[in-house]
Amino acid sequence: MRTLILGGTSWLGGVLAEVASRRGHLVTCLARGESGSAPDAVRWIRADRRGPGAYDAVRDDTWDAVLDVGRQPMHVRSALAALAGRARHWAFVSTGSVYADDSTAGQDESAPLHAPWTGAGEAGDEDYGPAKVACERACQEALPAERLLVARAGLIAGYGDLSDRFGYWPARLARGGEQRVLLPPRSNPVQVIDVKDLAAWLVHGAENAVAGVLNAVGNTLTLSDVLAECQRAAASSPVYVEADQDWLIRHEVSPWSGPGSLPLWLPLPEYAGFMTRSNAAARAAGLRLRPLSETAADALAWERRLGLDRERKAGLGRQREADLLSELAGR
């Protein structure tokens, strides 16, 4: 198959290119390359989707599959204008953040969405979900339903993750020294998808003309499940100290991401649905999920490569965690 990846030098795009190439596709990546380089086995066209003529090198070709990992509506629209008529199958990687209701557990793809972003230029991070809705709408308006796969991905985990979210936990358990580990409520739901599983399924979708709007998410687990596999990967024996969410909020511990956060934690009940979305339709369409133990081991290998004690984008630093543990013990 002649496969065009709009991206291919960042994390998911690069894994997509590797998977498609291994499966015998003739892969072309169109990307700026600011996040890295395309895999060696693929053709890489350096182009900036923000500028005129971005698609000149590929617009006259015919593609069996186009896979777009973009997040900016203006980029998605320009790609569709240039290439929608040249592609047999189109896959757009969207996000679970398009959903307007994060509080209802177990919802499927029929759940209500945010209103699409209608701004000019590039959308900011605060408009991520609505901007992805606008991207989805642009794809649906430009392509017939039988040629379009919209994959609403959940939190992606595994080797190469640059967000530091999932990786915080295997890194924390492998760090050594401290025996006590501060936790949010262990029964809270967690839902991640391994980057390799997502990439393999997207390539499978291109090969088999999978169409529709599907939640590309993992099975719903608990933080306890995640910790068990991370602990096994790290070969550690920590002492967990669990704090309730009200205490964490009062002590200005951020949920989900960012410095000073506890990743994978989201307050309940307002986020009871964020990591409990149904993946039944995607699994029926060929999505296969590897054991969480493999994801945890890959994430730890990546964390070790970057350095367990580095300054992180998400998670608690050593001193901050120690201070919180002391205060919790004093209470």
Side-chain angles (χ1 to χ4, degrees):
M1 294 179 63
R2 302 189 73 243
T3 298
L4 173 63
I5 298 173
L6 301 177
T9 60
S10 62
W11 183 31
L12 174 60
V15 179
L16 268 173
E18 292 173 356
V19 171
S21 180
R22 284 200 305 268
R23 293 176 68 89
H25 294 219
L26 300 175
V27 180
T28 298
C29 294
L30 186 146
R32 288 176 292 175
E34 292 182 354
S35 301
S37 300
D40 293 337
V42 309
R43 175 191 179 204
W44 178 15
I45 296 174
R46 293 176 181 264
D48 189 338
R49 298 175 69 177
R50 297 170 296 189
Y55 307 98
D56 287 352
V58 295
R59 68 167 65 244
D60 294 329
D61 293 325
T62 300
W63 303 98
D64 294 302
V66 174
L67 299 100
D68 189 356
V69 299
R71 55 165 294 182
Q72 294 294 344
M74 62 184 294
H75 300 164
V76 172
R77 293 189 187 106
S78 62
L80 291 163
L83 302 169
R86 314 291 300 182
R88 180 184 62 83
H89 185 270
W90 194 286
F92 174 68
V93 181
S94 189
T95 171
S97 295
V98 298
Y99 291 111
D101 178 8
D102 292 325
S103 64
T104 304
Q107 293 191 97
D108 63 14
E109 293 82 356
S110 65
L113 307 181
H114 290 292
W117 186 73
T118 57
E122 296 190 352
D125 291 344
E126 69 278 5
D127 294 311
Y128 177 65
K132 282 285 198 176
V133 176
C135 294
E136 289 188 11
R137 296 280 178 87
C139 293
Q140 291 162 341
E141 291 168 0
L143 293 155
E146 65 271 14
R147 287 170 48 206
L148 173 64
L149 170 62
V150 174
R152 291 175 178 162
L155 179 64
I156 306 172
Y159 193 86
D161 180 14
L162 298 176
S163 76
D164 287 351
R165 285 177 289 190
F166 183 91
Y168 170 78
W169 292 107
R172 174 64 189 87
L173 299 184
R175 209 162 61 194
E178 313 95 331
Q179 290 299 309
R180 295 190 303 156
V181 177
L182 181 65
L183 300 183
R186 278 179 275 190
S187 60
N188 278 26
V190 174
Q191 190 173 43
V192 300
I193 184 166
D194 193 290
V195 65
K196 295 177 182 176
D197 294 337
L198 177 57
W201 181 66
L202 289 166
V203 174
H204 165 85
E207 294 168 346
N208 294 276
V210 173
V213 178
L214 303 172
N215 289 333
V217 297
N219 295 325
T220 297
L221 307 169
T222 65
L223 181 60
S224 284
D225 298 323
V226 173
L227 291 170
E229 297 304 337
C230 292
Q231 184 176 334
R232 186 173 293 111
S236 64
S237 301
V239 175
Y240 295 125
V241 180
E242 184 174 324
D244 65 68
Q245 67 177 32
D246 291 338
W247 188 91
L248 293 171
I249 292 169
R250 286 198 307 273
H251 287 78
E252 299 181 341
V253 178
S254 302
W256 191 244
S257 65
S261 67
L262 279 176
L264 304 186
W265 163 53
L266 285 168
L268 302 179
E270 56 265 44
Y271 288 99
F274 192 82
M275 287 199 281
T276 62
R277 304 205 182 276
S278 171
N279 62 8
R283 297 192 72 168
L287 176 64
R288 299 291 178 264
L289 302 171
R290 71 191 58 233
L292 182 63
S293 58
E294 295 183 21
T295 304
D298 282 353
L300 179 56
W302 174 248
E303 292 288 335
R304 290 190 188 280
R305 176 179 170 181
L306 296 181
L308 298 180
D309 285 313
R310 74 186 190 281
E311 186 174 342
R312 304 182 57 86
K313 296 177 183 177
L316 296 175
R318 283 180 184 264
Q319 190 58 54
R320 173 64 170 151
E321 184 186 20
D323 291 344
L324 289 166
L325 285 167
S326 294
E327 188 157 351
L328 191 60
R331 182 190 70 168

